[in-house]
Structure formats: C-alpha cells, structure tokens
Amino acid sequence: MTYRLFIIILLFFLSTNAQEKIKKDVKKTKPKLVVGIVVDQMRYDYLTRFYNRFSEGGFKRMIRDGFSCNNHHIDYIPTTTAPGHASIFTGTTPQNHGIIGNSWYDKISKQKVYCVEDNTVSPVGTSSSAGRMSPIKLKITTIADQNRLHTQMRGKTISIALKDRGAILSGGHTANAAYWFRGKGQGGWISSSYYMTKLPKWVVDFNESNLIDSYFRDWDTLYEIDSYTASGNDNTKFERGFKGQEKAMFPYDLLRLKEFNGQYDIIKHTPYGNSLTVDFAIEAITKEKLGKSNDTDFLTISFSSTDYIGHNFGANSKEVEDTYLRLDQDIKRLLMTLDKKVGENQYTVFLTSDHGATQVPQYLKSVKIPAGYFKEASVHLNMKYYINSLYQDNEIIQNISNNQVFLNYELINNKNLKIEEIQNKITNHLLTLKSIDKVYTRSQLENMNYTYGTVALLQNGFHQKRSGDVLYTLSPSIIAYSRTGSSHGSGYTYDSHVPLLFYGNGISQGATKIKTTVSDIAPTISALLGISNPNGVTGNIINEVVD
C-alpha cells in the first residue's frame, strides 16, 4: 500500500467516524418534546421578589439546573398578549408577523377586528362564537410550524391556554390542535373546525368530569398571609376585586361569588385557572402520547390567569404574590409529570412572558412617584375637533385606537389635501398634551431606520398595511385604564423586561446579563432542534443557551 493511498483511507475513516459522531450527537441532544411556556403578564422582578418562597422543584429548578437570561426584553410596542405570543413563537416582531394588537382597526373593512377571529370556521365543543377562531391573521410561520414541516408533519403540536389568542398564536398554522377555555355557563375546553371536526374523546371526558367544578372553592393564601412580605397590604384602594364582595381581601368564596362574576369565568381570574391549565396539559401529554415517537413534538402552554389577576389586583398585591407561589407549585407538578411521562433529560422547556405590567398609578402617586391616567375618549374627541377646525371636515380622522390615528385617504385625496401636512398637524397637537410622551408619523416610520429608543420599538411594532398614520406613546406610568389594577402596553422596562428561562435536554447551565430580545427565542430553539427558522425570523441564536 502506498503512503498516499494509506492517507486517503485514513482520512476516509476519520471522516466517516466524525460523521457518525455528529449523527449520534444530534440524536443525543434532540429532545423528544419541546414545551414552550408563556406566563401572561409576568414581570421579570416576580422571579426575584418571590424567589425565596418558591419550592425547589418549580422556578428554582429551572433557574438552578437550566439557563436564565436576566436581561431579556420585548423590543417593540405594543406590549400586549397577542403580539407577545406571536413574537415569541415566530422569532420576529409585529412589523413582520402582522399581529399588531389584540384587536385593531382594519382599513379595508373599516371596522375593528380581533387577532384570531375567523368567521369561515365553525365552533367545536361549543355553540358560541368563541369557537370561531384560527391563526389566519398570522402572516408567517412559528417554530412549531417549522418542526411540523421538518418532520414531514409527524411531530405533533398541541397548544393550550385559557385565552384563545394565547393558544392559537403559539401553535401556529399547522397545529394538530389548539384548545382554549370557554367560561360563562359552559366551563369547558373548546376549539374550532380549523383544527378538527369534533373534540377528541379525552377532551370530552375531561370537560364532563367534576374536576373543573372542584375549583369553585375558597381562594385563600397558600401560606399565612402575614408572611407575604414581598407585596403591599391586603386592604388597599388600588384593587378592584370581585363583584359581590365589598372589599378586595382574602379569602374569596368562589362558589358564592361565581353568580356575580360570570359563572365559570371567575376561575380564570384566580390561580386555579393556572392549575386547571396544568391539569389539562398533563392530560394532553398522556392521551396524545407526546414525546413518545421518534420525532420531536411541541406542547405550548400559556398561563392566562396571571394576566387577569394582575389587571384586577395590581402588581403589588398579595393576590399576585399568592398567584406566583401557587404557579410555582403547578410548574413543579408539570415538570415532575414530564420526568415521568417523557423521561428526565428527554424534553426541553422554555419559559417567558408576553409582557410585564406597570404598578398601579394610584399606588405610585401615593409614594410620590410620577404617574397618572390618560383620558383617552376626551383626548380623541378633542383631536377630531381640532382637525375639523383646520379643514372643515370631521371625517378626515377615520379611527383612533391602540394609540394610533388612522386617516381617511380617499377623502383627503378627493379634497386635494396633503397627507403629510395632516400627520404633522396631529403630531404637533398631541405633543402639547402633558400625558403624551412621543409622537411619530407614518412617513417617519417608513422612511427612516431607527435602531434605539422608543421610536425603534414603535417601528418594530409598525406593520405597513395594518398600522395607522400617527402613533403616540404615553409618559412613564401613565395608562389608559381604570384606577384599580395594573395594565401594560408601553415600551418602558416595567412592560418590556420579562423572564426567559431554558431547561432540559441540550440546554447549558448558567445565566447571562447580556441583553436578549423576544425574537431570539425561536432561532435558539430552532438551532437546538437542527431545523429551519420560522420564515420571518429577525432574532439571533443565544449561543450560551445551547449546550
């Protein structure tokens, strides 16, 4: 054998071994199941404020044995539920995926549309229009879609949330099933004909069991209320509470209060809504045999009750503290189930939030921090009067919603008026108002490329076809909301800084303070799975996360 031939054979042998090693490594690191968890309205500081009271098996387990991105932000405005879920799973912002709000003004139909409404589909599991929902308005693919495509549609996707938009926008276009909760007098998990013609037997059995009704019980604190030192007083003027109970104070008799608070809907407004979501998710893992095939499956879970409770009681309430202590127990229960049903180190979990929340402005004012309320209706009316006084036509402004002004292009063109001039007049008028911080026009957002600051966040949330012609932001801690409870939607850190935790198969152990954004989640999971990114990705792989 010549020396040259020996070298060729040796290189071939080494190359073959290297290829086999790569194949084994990919097989080794690829999880059987990816679980994407979104905790609706979870501020980052809820992890640190309540950390000492968490169990070892919930949030602490994910932080201790997984990877935590401690400087994680939402990089667009508005920070609301639908854009949040869409951005997490598509790896980009509303500028590309098109979900610019929970609802928005549609310039073609000239009416308000809901982010997941679809009148071409039929309700499944209910006779209510609450079942006429689909992802039809989501313009691009999600990571779950890409996994389905990569596995030739063999890998399953099951998506679950109390809110329809939380389930639908997470699962994407190709989900095997998305389930959301119908409250009112029904009390059951439903879907639409977009996914199926009828509910699977296991879902029907779950709905007909007495488990859901078992949550009509007292909601009292998990531990002694005096030990809840990470939140404010129980009796304050900053909380709304439930109809039928004079004060927003523990305990809450849900069996008695359900009559005054939408029957089964009251469960959604308590920590038991999160527990019910985990109950249903565990049943889905079992009955759908998730993580049992040779292809990776996806399970997306959105915990909606945290948002309902934050809106009701506020970020500094004992109700919020109790909710997160109970959610920690539910996450522990979910992880233990995954250990048993899928196998330890055989699954990967990521946990994040769609947005944070401001402290109640009334509370902030009581401790001398600037805050307040935006009188939306009167400001909008005044703006219309102003434009009418300039142009003698009260139809020039077609709609004002979601902090956006929509102009009547047809009328403006017919009157030979200048659109940019009108945009600038509105901008100058809005900037005279104390509660408004910044205003930008369509012309600015279309013709400039902004890389930092509020205007960059607005541009990331600006969809050329769906967004308005003038966009404004409110001053810090100013909200258009009731005087009790918390809200969100801004680009300030209390709304944008949220947790991001990775845990399980293929995930490094550690943490980073390097800034990450919501768009980085999907490409990171794509890299872990070795699949294509969603087709509109603008984020980057968080290299430290992937083992």
Side-chain angles (χ1 to χ4, degrees), residues 53-59 222-223 275 278 322-336:
R53 301 299 299 275
F54 290 148
S55 69
E56 293 300 319
F59 287 115
L222 186 62
Y223 306 109
S275 300
V278 170
D322 189 67
T323 295
Y324 279 90
L325 297 183
R326 290 178 179 274
L327 177 60
D328 177 65
Q329 298 288 330
D330 283 322
I331 289 173
K332 175 182 178 181
R333 183 160 60 99
L334 176 64
L335 293 176
M336 290 175 65

Side-chain angles (χ1 to χ4, degrees), residues 342-543:
V342 182
E344 293 185 35
N345 204 38
Q346 298 300 309
Y347 61 89
T348 302
V349 180
F350 68 86
L351 182 149
T352 188
S353 181
D354 52 350
H355 56 77
T358 181
Q359 293 278 4
V360 180
Q362 277 204 106
Y363 164 67
L364 292 178
K365 290 170 73 174
S366 74
V367 293
K368 301 180 181 180
I369 293 175
Y373 296 90
F374 181 62
K375 296 180 180 179
E376 197 169 46
S378 61
V379 169
H380 292 176
L381 187 62
N382 180 265
M383 184 166 27
K384 288 184 176 182
Y385 282 150
Y386 171 70
I387 294 301
N388 183 43
S389 71
L390 294 178
Y391 299 101
Q392 287 73 54
D393 198 313
N394 60 8
E395 298 298 326
I396 287 177
I397 293 179
Q398 199 165 62
N399 179 266
I400 308 173
S401 56
N402 292 351
N403 294 0
Q404 300 184 32
V405 182
F406 294 81
L407 299 178
N408 188 332
Y409 277 52
E410 184 178 0
L411 176 63
I412 291 169
N413 289 331
N414 288 341
K415 292 173 74 76
N416 292 319
L417 299 174
K418 295 180 180 179
I419 288 175
E420 287 194 21
E421 177 187 283
I422 297 171
Q423 290 177 2
N424 291 333
K425 293 287 186 183
I426 292 171
T427 297
N428 292 335
H429 175 73
L430 288 172
L431 285 171
T432 65
L433 304 178
K434 184 179 178 181
S435 55
I436 288 181
D437 186 50
K438 292 179 174 62
V439 186
Y440 295 94
T441 67
R442 170 177 286 271
S443 299
Q444 290 174 297
L445 296 175
E446 286 182 338
N447 297 320
M448 298 289 289
N449 181 32
Y450 300 98
T451 57
Y452 64 91
T454 298
V455 63
L457 302 180
L458 281 172
Q459 192 169 58
N460 286 340
F462 178 83
H463 189 271
Q464 203 168 29
K465 288 187 175 182
R466 292 179 175 175
S467 295
D469 301 290
V470 179
L471 287 71
Y472 64 86
T473 64
L474 302 180
S475 297
S477 299
I478 302 289
I479 60 174
Y481 198 63
S482 70
R483 293 183 175 272
T484 52
S486 289
S487 191
H488 51 85
S490 78
Y492 299 113
T493 53
Y494 49 74
D495 282 340
S496 73
H497 189 194
V498 296
L500 176 57
L501 307 176
F502 294 89
Y503 171 84
N505 187 303
I507 302 300
S508 301
Q509 189 175 358
T512 182
K513 291 184 174 65
I514 296 172
K515 185 175 182 178
T516 58
T517 70
V518 63
S519 300
D520 298 334
I521 299 171
T524 301
I525 295 297
S526 292
L528 175 70
L529 298 180
I531 64 175
S532 293
N533 285 327
N535 60 14
V537 156
T538 55
N540 300 301
I541 298 168
I542 310 171
N543 291 315

Side-chain angles (χ1 to χ4, degrees), residues 82 94 112 301 330:
K112 181 181 178 180
I301 305 170
D330 283 322

